[in-house]
Amino acid sequence: MPASASRLLVVMPSWVGDCVMATPLLRAIRRHYEAAGRETYMAAYLRPHLAPLFSSETGFDACIEGRPAGLLGPLREAGRLRRHGFDTALILPNSFRAALLTWLARVPRRIGYDRDGRGPLLTGRVPCPASGGRRAPVPLVEYYLKLAEPLGVEVAGDRSPRLAPRKADIALARGMLESRGVSPERPIALLNPGASKPGKRWPAGRFAALADLLHDRHGMQILINGAPNERELIQDVADRVEHAVILDLSRHDTTLAALAALCTLVDLVVTNDTGTRHIAAAVGFERLHRGEPAPGIVTIFGTVRPEWTTLNYPRERELVDHATGGVEGVSLSQVADACRVLLTPAPSGRDATPSN
């Protein structure tokens, strides 16, 4: 019978979207221990910029910020973690370094996928999904949920990623918009033209044309989201917009927690396959769960197949050029049509939910 954990360390992934797709696992673990009447301290080890997004509403008792970068990084960070006295580590990243970190921290029980040559560092080795080999698309939500088995956690029911922004963050987001002339009482679209790799970025000119189209056809106010290191790209999009009034969020220190809060206020998100998509969907799932209005999402895929990140969000439209696999193969008219359907209420009064 799997042993329980009294002090559990969850080593979180490096990417925003991957962290969001781990939330069903985190929810299942917390629910399992609460149902069993066990007091389990659960902490996250994650990169500093991720902490505001996961410091609440995910079941963590603490977020330990850090990054084992450099030659001595794992040793340095392990010393910090050792002081917390964890008895179990659940390692979500696939890297050798992540497993080494918990081994150096002397966590007695270390659970993770047996891959990348790190098996000897693990006490709980989970085999990779075998169907079709490692290259077969496995939705990351399901990939992470399999790691619950060594903890004796049964996963049942809702498997949707969910995030619930704090009321204070929503109030701050609303105030920020209003102070810059954007009314949350009128339709708002959030565009996200950035991505980690060029092959995942829909052309800037098309994002600009879409901004004008959404303004002209649907009367939408336009927010353009981007990280501080994407300001040049955001400015390129802004310079191409002909008459829509836009708000550049990259110049307003928008944290991930603020972005999640903004997703409660917008009607539509158009994004490349990035963390913004996952945040918007997770916020949307939570709002649908509560019976509240949720944003429609149009996701434009490029170099990564959608099957790896299946979310099953009912108000998402996934657009892929299956012929070439290139992001530029997705046309402006395809995106505009997807937006139109998401913004058009169904005859019954329910939100339109086109199939992917």
Side-chain angles (χ1 to χ4, degrees), residues 44-318:
Y45 176 76
L46 72 181
R47 295 191 178 193
H49 74 284
L50 296 169
L53 188 61
F54 297 97
S55 59
S56 65
E57 305 296 344
T58 54
F60 287 128
D61 295 295
C63 285
I64 304 171
E65 301 177 18
R67 182 182 180 187
L71 184 62
L72 298 179
L75 189 61
R76 180 189 66 249
E77 292 296 286
R80 293 178 57 218
L81 294 177
R82 193 179 307 130
R83 293 192 290 270
H84 292 269
F86 294 110
D87 58 61
T88 304
L90 188 61
I91 308 162
L92 303 193
N94 294 318
S95 70
F96 182 90
R97 182 177 290 255
L100 177 63
L101 172 69
T102 60
W103 182 81
L104 290 171
R106 301 175 190 168
V107 180
R109 192 166 173 233
R110 303 175 297 278
I111 299 168
Y113 277 109
D114 185 4
R115 57 181 299 175
D116 294 356
R118 66 185 193 167
L121 299 175
L122 304 174
T123 62
R125 304 182 190 183
V126 180
C128 285
S131 177
R134 290 185 181 176
R135 294 185 179 276
V138 178
L140 206 52
V141 168
E142 299 299 326
Y143 186 78
Y144 287 145
L145 283 172
K146 187 174 174 61
L147 292 174
E149 294 178 3
L151 292 171
V153 175
E154 293 186 7
V155 180
D158 182 17
R159 296 178 175 226
S160 60
R162 289 190 358 216
L163 288 173
R166 293 175 296 187
K167 292 181 179 179
D169 289 331
I170 296 174
L172 287 173
R174 180 181 288 272
M176 185 273 288
L177 293 181
E178 291 176 341
S179 69
R180 290 162 176 81
V182 177
S183 171
E185 310 308 320
R186 292 174 48 216
I188 301 173
L190 187 151
L191 308 186
N192 188 83
S196 59
K197 300 176 182 178
K200 298 176 71 173
R201 296 176 198 151
W202 201 47
R206 294 185 201 175
F207 267 108
L210 180 66
D212 283 326
L213 184 150
L214 292 173
H215 174 269
D216 295 344
R217 294 186 186 176
H218 304 284
M220 304 198 80
Q221 305 166 98
I222 308 298
L223 311 180
I224 304 184
N225 178 64
N229 62 357
E230 294 175 332
R231 284 178 179 171
E232 185 175 341
L233 171 62
I234 306 306
Q235 189 62 52
D236 185 25
V237 174
D239 289 343
R240 296 167 185 255
V241 174
E242 294 185 1
H243 39 83
V245 177
I246 64 171
L247 175 61
D248 178 357
L249 296 176
S250 71
R251 299 185 180 278
H252 295 284
D253 298 323
T254 306
T255 65
L256 293 177
L259 177 60
L262 284 168
C263 287
T264 69
L265 303 174
V266 305
D267 302 89
L268 178 70
V269 176
V270 182
T271 177
N272 298 316
D273 176 26
T274 69
T276 296
R277 174 233 184 178
H278 298 90
I279 290 174
V283 170
F285 270 122
E286 179 65 24
R287 291 181 68 80
L288 291 174
H289 178 73
R290 299 183 181 191
E292 299 172 344
I297 302 173
V298 177
T299 305
I300 306 164
F301 284 87
T303 55
V304 178
R305 293 168 61 182
E307 293 86 349
W308 290 103
T309 58
T310 298
L311 298 176
N312 294 318
Y313 179 57
R315 301 212 65 234
E316 180 182 30
R317 182 75 175 223
E318 298 176 348

Side-chain angles (χ1 to χ4, degrees), residues 202 206 213 217 319 330-340:
W202 201 47
R206 294 185 201 175
L213 184 150
R217 294 186 186 176
L319 299 181
V330 178
S331 68
L332 175 61
S333 63
Q334 287 177 288
V335 177
D337 286 345
C339 293
R340 175 184 54 78

